[in-house]
Amino acid sequence: YTSLMYYNGQLFYIASHLSKEEEVKQRKMDMPKGDNICFKNVTFSYEEDVPVIKDASFEIEKGKVTAVVGSNGSGKSTLFKLIERFYKPDAGEITFGSYQAKDIHLDAWRRSFSYVLQEPRLFNASIRDNIAYGAKGEVSDAEIKRVADLSCCSDFVEKLPGGYDYEIGDNGSKLSGGQRQRIAIARALLADPEYLLMDEATCNLDADNERCVLNGIVEFMRGRTVIMITHDMKMLSMADNILVLDKGKVESCGDRESVLKTSKTLQQFVEAYG
């Protein structure tokens, strides 16, 4: 059956997925300390016999910045969903150091990650509440201000009527795309993640704000792991390693210099935008 829910002027359809098998959050072990994430011959399909990720093997190094590059439909966003464990591989395995990812408690795994989407999801609430959404326990004004500074929100927020108490409208309709992205980044940093996933998370920012945000992320995530889908040359220049996907397959993976020598996709990208 289909249920309808009306919330803040938006109509949401909640359908047959309600009857699907519930996720088992408790597995065999808690989340170990930060380690490398390794894909070993991973294949995944949304539809039977139509693989989106094909026999993918690579390693995401702990404490490094890894950029994921590929054309539309190459499997980049699906890769992020597998890292977040929204889906299980059809074949192969994902490991975390010497452990199987599937054996780690699901809720503990996801608490270690923050995910910033290209089109962030915000609520018809104050800026403060949007930044603090998902935080465990009370969040102080100082904590809000710190992540707002790192994500370059402070300047525009403090000029708004009511500052951090300003109500932003349905999905941030009273703000620009770049302002919404910066609030989403502030929320991600407030979660204090060991692993930060960014899916074209600065695409709506102008050059000055992008530079400011990237500097803040680098400062905050120093010694932690960043995985970012990007076609931005500035962000690629930040990366320690680059993973190139082509039609679901790993075309190349390694440091920028070695990948540039072996990946036609990256060569074409640099030629077009570099």
Side-chain angles (χ1 to χ4, degrees):
Y1 71 99
T2 299
S3 299
L4 301 181
M5 178 174 67
Y6 197 73
Y7 176 72
N8 283 349
Q10 298 185 49
L11 193 60
F12 296 86
Y13 292 87
I14 305 175
S16 58
H17 68 274
L18 289 173
S19 62
K20 290 184 179 179
E21 184 180 353
E22 188 174 348
E23 289 183 322
V24 179
K25 294 182 179 178
Q26 292 301 300
R27 303 298 174 89
K28 295 181 180 179
M29 59 183 295
D30 208 344
M31 186 76 176
K33 291 185 178 180
D35 213 326
N36 294 354
I37 299 169
C38 188
F39 276 51
K40 299 178 180 178
N41 305 111
V42 169
T43 294
F44 173 77
S45 306
Y46 293 107
E47 301 176 18
E48 190 174 358
D49 298 326
V50 186
V52 180
I53 300 294
K54 306 171 186 176
D55 196 31
S57 295
F58 59 88
E59 193 164 8
I60 296 170
E61 292 185 64
K62 168 193 169 185
K64 300 289 183 69
V65 178
T66 297
V68 182
V69 178
S71 58
N72 290 340
S74 62
K76 302 184 300 295
S77 294
T78 298
L79 185 74
F80 269 29
K81 292 171 185 176
L82 288 169
I83 291 172
E84 281 272 59
R85 293 171 61 196
F86 294 146
Y87 296 98
K88 303 173 186 176
D90 299 329
E93 60 184 20
I94 302 171
T95 61
F96 186 75
S98 59
Y99 303 101
Q100 292 279 340
K102 65 183 180 181
D103 291 337
I104 299 169
H105 298 322
L106 193 56
D107 50 355
W109 177 276
R110 290 182 182 158
R111 280 197 302 269
S112 298
F113 289 79
S114 281
Y115 193 167
V116 185
L117 298 165
Q118 182 175 349
E119 293 296 332
R121 301 291 183 262
L122 301 178
F123 305 95
N124 188 2
S126 69
I127 290 174
R128 182 192 315 278
D129 288 343
N130 272 278
I131 292 176
Y133 176 75
K136 299 293 183 183
E138 294 294 322
V139 178
S140 69
D141 289 346
E143 290 174 297
I144 295 286
K145 180 68 164 60
R146 179 184 178 230
V147 295
D149 287 342
L150 288 166
S151 60
C152 304
C153 289
S154 299
D155 285 349
F156 83 81
V157 170
E158 290 167 4
K159 293 175 183 176
L160 294 171
Y164 290 94
D165 294 320
Y166 181 74
E167 301 275 336
I168 64 174
D170 290 340
N171 200 28
S173 59
K174 297 180 183 179
L175 303 176
S176 70
Q179 289 171 336
R180 292 195 295 271
Q181 278 191 324
R182 282 178 276 169
I183 288 173
I185 291 168
R187 176 197 294 165
L189 297 183
L190 185 66
D192 199 25
E194 281 295 321
Y195 297 83
L196 177 63
L197 304 177
M198 301 174 64
D199 187 351
E200 298 282 11
T202 63
C203 64
N204 289 320
L205 302 183
D206 60 38
D208 288 341
N209 280 314
E210 182 182 41
R211 188 182 309 110
C212 175
V213 168
L214 292 178
N215 288 341
I217 290 171
V218 168
E219 176 187 338
F220 185 87
M221 293 298 294
R222 187 170 285 112
R224 308 189 221 191
T225 307
V226 178
I227 312 164
M228 56 187 184
I229 295 172
T230 186
H231 295 96
D232 187 301
M233 292 304 297
K234 296 186 192 71
M235 295 187 75
L236 279 177
S237 67
M238 290 173 49
D240 300 297
N241 297 306
I242 297 177
L243 167 65
V244 183
L245 294 178
D246 180 38
K247 298 178 182 177
K249 295 184 177 181
V250 175
E251 182 180 282
S252 186
C253 185
D255 63 77
R256 189 177 188 277
E257 185 177 343
S258 65
V259 172
L260 192 53
K261 290 178 181 177
T262 57
S263 169
K264 290 184 179 179
T265 299
L266 187 59
Q267 291 167 4
Q268 290 169 356
F269 176 72
V270 171
E271 185 177 341
Y273 301 104

